Amino acid sequence: MNSSLVEWAAMVRAILLTSLVPFLIGAADFTVGSATAGSGQKATGYVAVPAGVDVAANIPVIVVNGARPGPVLALVAGSHGTEYASILALQKLAQAADPAQLSGTLIILPLINVPSFAQKVPHLNPVDGKNMNRFYPGRPDGTQTERVSWAIAKQVVEKCDYLIDLHGGDLDENLRRYSYLATTGKESQDSVSRAMVLAFGLDHIILQDFRTPVAPGAGVSITRFAAGLGKPCVTAEAGHAGISDADDVDSLIQGCWKVARHLKMMTGSVSQVEHPLWLSHVSVVTSELDGVFYPLVGPEAYVSQGMKIGYVTDYFGKKIWDATSPIAGVVLYIGAVPSLKKGDTIAHIGEIEK
Ligand SMILES: [Zn+2]
């Protein structure tokens, strides 16, 4: 080919790639697990995780395939199956989502840890005793938590452009709403994540550092895994102690919609949180012994270093230990139930960024 023909061919190819292909992708079916949604459609199904060293799992998934092309936003909740407000938020959001109004695709997993939800077991997957937000990318031949993590890593995280992971206070946690912003050191990715977190709208934001080393072969949270693949992320928490307050549920639903609007997947303007309280570090207070826990502060209380935040009695009611705050800061969550054993978390205290 002569040079003008080469240029012409390159130009045609560029036009095809930039204009035609997105429409072709937009018009195509989008499949996650057994849910296949055509353009402008919504579908439900399951991500099937076959039995291995333990029982099989079926993770419910909703695909909302927009009528117009755009990015893929994954919304996940319920890796801790008794953080109910976050699970109900994604159920309601999936019901309300209208593919006709959407540019791009939502992949919604409202409940990752079905056994935890069904059996009312906080923190862990009762099938294998593992935390379902610590083992990404998982492995195909591990225990159920690892196999589920592997399936979600392959079928959801790798397929999405952006990810929001919803949590909240678990059955035994009295929690104040907050979100996390993680630094990866990749400037353009971090600035997108920052804008997403500010669009989400919660006004307490904990700073995380994903540049800290991870032991070889060790699993990580879903957002840390996604961020490692270059996907901007938000983690947000609302809800507490087994209660699903309408305000908590709504704050998570509205946060997801605001991020979708910020990403131009839906029309409408988004105002960002103007003056969030940035929290630079979280101190964890754990119990030094078994006993009965009595909180002395609530979530969002400002505490000074050394201040009493609760106490522990023996089973006869005699006080045996004072829980004190190791730092000055704000109570992000505090134990919500009397049950307590040595090593259990009593509180998370956020240190205010100077
Ligand atoms: Zn959680």
Side-chain angles (χ1 to χ4, degrees):
M1 282 194 282
N2 66 35
S3 65
S4 66
L5 257 179
V6 171
E7 278 168 25
W8 182 82
M11 191 180 74
V12 168
R13 197 165 61 232
I15 290 169
L16 281 173
L17 283 173
T18 53
S19 61
L20 197 55
V21 169
F23 285 109
L24 290 174
I25 290 170
D29 291 347
F30 196 103
T31 298
V32 179
S34 63
T36 295
S39 178
Q41 291 179 341
K42 181 155 64 171
T44 62
Y46 292 91
V47 174
V49 179
V53 294
D54 48 25
V55 293
N58 276 307
I59 315 302
V61 58
I62 303 103
V63 173
V64 187
N65 192 356
R68 291 172 300 281
V72 178
L73 172 61
L75 307 173
V76 307
S79 57
H80 305 130
T82 55
E83 296 176 353
Y84 296 123
S86 58
I87 296 159
L88 299 194
L90 286 194
Q91 272 201 341
K92 287 170 189 281
L93 184 147
Q95 289 286 324
D98 180 1
Q101 305 297 322
L102 189 69
S103 300
T105 304
L106 301 176
I107 305 172
I108 305 169
L109 301 182
L111 179 54
I112 290 174
N113 190 346
V114 179
S116 157
F117 178 87
Q119 298 175 39
K120 307 182 193 79
V121 174
H123 310 297
L124 304 173
N125 176 357
V127 171
D128 57 13
K130 289 176 178 162
N131 183 333
M132 289 198 86
N133 195 28
R134 295 292 183 278
F135 286 88
Y136 287 90
R139 29 188 285 189
D141 58 350
T143 63
Q144 192 189 73
T145 292
E146 294 164 310
R147 297 198 310 281
V148 168
S149 300
W150 178 258
I152 292 172
K154 291 285 162 197
Q155 298 182 50
V156 178
V157 182
E158 289 185 4
K159 273 189 187 173
C160 76
D161 301 303
Y162 307 94
L163 184 137
I164 302 176
D165 183 24
L166 299 183
H167 290 260
D170 221 317
L171 271 184
D172 54 351
E173 296 167 352
N174 192 4
L175 179 142
R176 198 265 180 225
R177 288 175 216 154
Y178 53 83
S179 52
Y180 288 92
L181 172 61
T183 301
T184 65
K186 289 173 265 178
E187 217 171 284
S188 60
Q189 181 183 336
D190 290 350
S191 72
V192 176
S193 292
R194 181 185 172 94
M196 287 168 65
V197 171
L198 292 174
F200 195 96
L202 300 185
D203 62 2
H204 282 45
I205 303 174
I206 300 169
L207 297 165
Q208 281 177 306
D209 192 347
F210 283 173
R211 294 167 299 183
T212 52
V214 175
V220 294
S221 68
I222 192 168
T223 45
R224 184 154 188 171
F225 172 63
L229 298 179
K231 328 246 173 184
C233 294
V234 175
T235 305
E237 309 219 11
H240 56 100
I243 296 162
S244 310
D245 273 343
D247 284 354
D248 284 327
V249 175
D250 197 52
S251 70
L252 296 176
I253 295 173
Q254 295 311 321
C256 292
W257 287 142
K258 285 187 233 174
V259 171
R261 286 200 287 274
H262 169 74
L263 296 172
K264 308 280 186 239
M265 297 176 73
M266 294 163 62
T267 56
S269 59
V270 185
S271 59
Q272 298 197 323
V273 182
E274 276 183 42
H275 300 290
L277 187 69
W278 296 99
L279 301 160
S280 56
H281 171 74
V282 176
S283 276
V284 180
V285 183
T286 53
S287 178
E288 289 183 4
L289 21 80
D290 296 345
V292 181
F293 179 61
Y294 290 82
L296 291 172
V297 295
E300 210 176 344
Y302 283 77
V303 295
S304 55
Q305 188 178 24
M307 184 174 152
K308 263 192 246 178
I309 58 171
Y311 62 92
V312 178
T313 72
D314 62 18
Y315 298 130
F316 304 100
K318 181 171 165 259
K319 188 159 104 172
I320 49 175
W321 188 64
D322 282 316
T324 58
S325 178
I327 59 164
V330 58
V331 176
L332 296 171
Y333 77 77
I334 186 145
V337 297
S339 303
L340 193 69
K341 65 181 190 308
K342 187 179 175 184
D344 278 356
T345 300
I346 282 178
H348 276 194
I349 315 287
E351 188 173 344
I352 295 163
E353 168 92 331
K354 292 184 181 74

